[in-house]
Amino acid sequence: MVTKVAENIVKSLEQIRQDIDAIAEHSDFNESVRLLAVSKKHPADAIRTAYDAGQREFAENYVQEGVDKIQQLKALDVTWHFIGPLQSNKTKLVAEHFDWVQSIEREKIARRLNEQRPDALPPLNVLLQVNIDNDPNKSGVQKKDVYALAEFVSQCSHLKLRGIMTILEADTDENQQLNSFAAMRSLYEQLQQMHPSVDTLSMGMSGDMRQAIHAGANMVRIGSAIFGQRE
């Protein structure tokens, strides 16, 4: 029996994909945009519903919650992203279970992930989280320090540098958002010239997805607009 919640997830996914395609079509960047479904605080059944509707990439913010869902859904061909703040005592679980980490901001965390990634698994895909506006209340590496951190990650045999990620303040206006996202795109293109493995610019959420795609995002992170309000 299909529940109302499941119906809403399927409809929402379809609508968001259409919105992403329509925005991308009118942007200056000829790139497809990947949809990352942020499933934190939503049950495994909701992820399974989205999976059945064709979604394959999911993101979690909390390590233990994410690991529990990964184990519950291990039969599914899902790519799992960790997007939350990462402390040293949780790196081993992330290194062992996730496919991507989008929130690297310190060499120490990158080093631990590299050391703890099992040899049997492919390299862990890494995005550097950038504090593009130098906001004291936001996580992320300062723009001036991105190049050194990228170089360090690129030398780690169990990590693969894939790009950069940012989260903007929720109350910034549209012009500020566009300017910040444009600065991220410029930084991304510089990193691409230095590191051939760089191919992912993760920015934009439900409230600023349109501005992010117009500025050149090729991955957006959408949660409640797919799954509804969190428990």
Side-chain angles (χ1 to χ4, degrees), residues 27-226:
S27 85
D28 295 330
F29 301 90
N30 187 25
E31 290 188 63
S32 61
V33 179
R34 288 157 64 192
L35 171 59
L36 184 59
V38 180
S39 46
K40 69 174 182 183
K41 298 293 184 186
H42 292 286
D45 283 347
I47 297 172
R48 195 183 297 275
T49 297
Y51 178 90
D52 289 342
Q55 181 64 27
R56 292 294 179 269
E57 294 192 85
F58 295 88
E60 292 287 330
N61 285 61
Y62 306 107
V63 176
Q64 193 57 58
E65 180 192 345
V67 169
D68 289 346
K69 290 179 198 170
I70 289 168
Q71 291 173 335
Q72 286 178 63
L73 300 169
K74 60 188 174 187
L76 304 185
D77 175 28
V78 167
T79 299
W80 292 98
H81 295 243
F82 185 77
I83 61 172
L86 185 52
Q87 298 168 324
S88 298
N89 63 342
K90 296 289 178 68
T91 53
K92 190 168 190 289
L93 280 171
V94 170
E96 290 174 347
H97 292 90
F98 284 83
D99 305 297
W100 287 68
V101 179
Q102 297 205 11
S103 48
I104 300 297
E105 58 178 345
R106 290 183 289 149
E107 188 177 300
K108 176 186 177 183
I109 297 297
R111 181 184 293 110
R112 288 179 66 86
L113 289 168
N114 184 57
E115 290 169 352
Q116 294 168 337
R117 182 70 168 175
D119 290 335
L121 294 178
L124 185 63
N125 296 292
V126 165
L127 300 185
L128 310 182
Q129 182 171 347
V130 182
N131 186 345
I132 196 66
D133 296 322
N134 299 326
D135 184 336
N137 300 314
K138 277 276 181 253
S139 299
V141 60
Q142 301 290 308
K143 183 180 174 182
K144 64 182 175 59
D145 299 322
V146 166
Y147 306 101
L149 184 56
E151 182 60 32
F152 177 81
V153 168
S154 73
Q155 300 298 319
C156 293
S157 60
H158 290 107
L159 304 180
K160 184 175 184 180
L161 179 67
R162 296 295 296 271
I164 52 178
M165 178 271 258
T166 199
I167 302 169
L168 301 188
E169 279 290 341
D171 56 358
T172 51
D173 66 35
E174 191 168 318
N175 280 337
Q176 287 176 294
Q177 291 168 350
L178 284 166
N179 288 338
S180 298
F181 289 146
M184 281 291 290
R185 179 70 197 199
S186 176
L187 179 60
Y188 168 72
E189 289 174 353
Q190 291 170 41
L191 283 175
Q192 276 189 308
Q193 292 175 4
M194 300 173 186
H195 303 284
S197 61
V198 168
D199 61 4
T200 304
L201 177 55
S202 171
M203 58 187 193
M205 299 184 285
S206 299
D208 54 15
M209 177 180 83
R210 184 173 58 82
Q211 294 89 306
I213 295 172
H214 275 302
N218 56 25
M219 177 183 283
V220 292
R221 308 179 305 273
I222 309 295
S224 55
I226 296 172

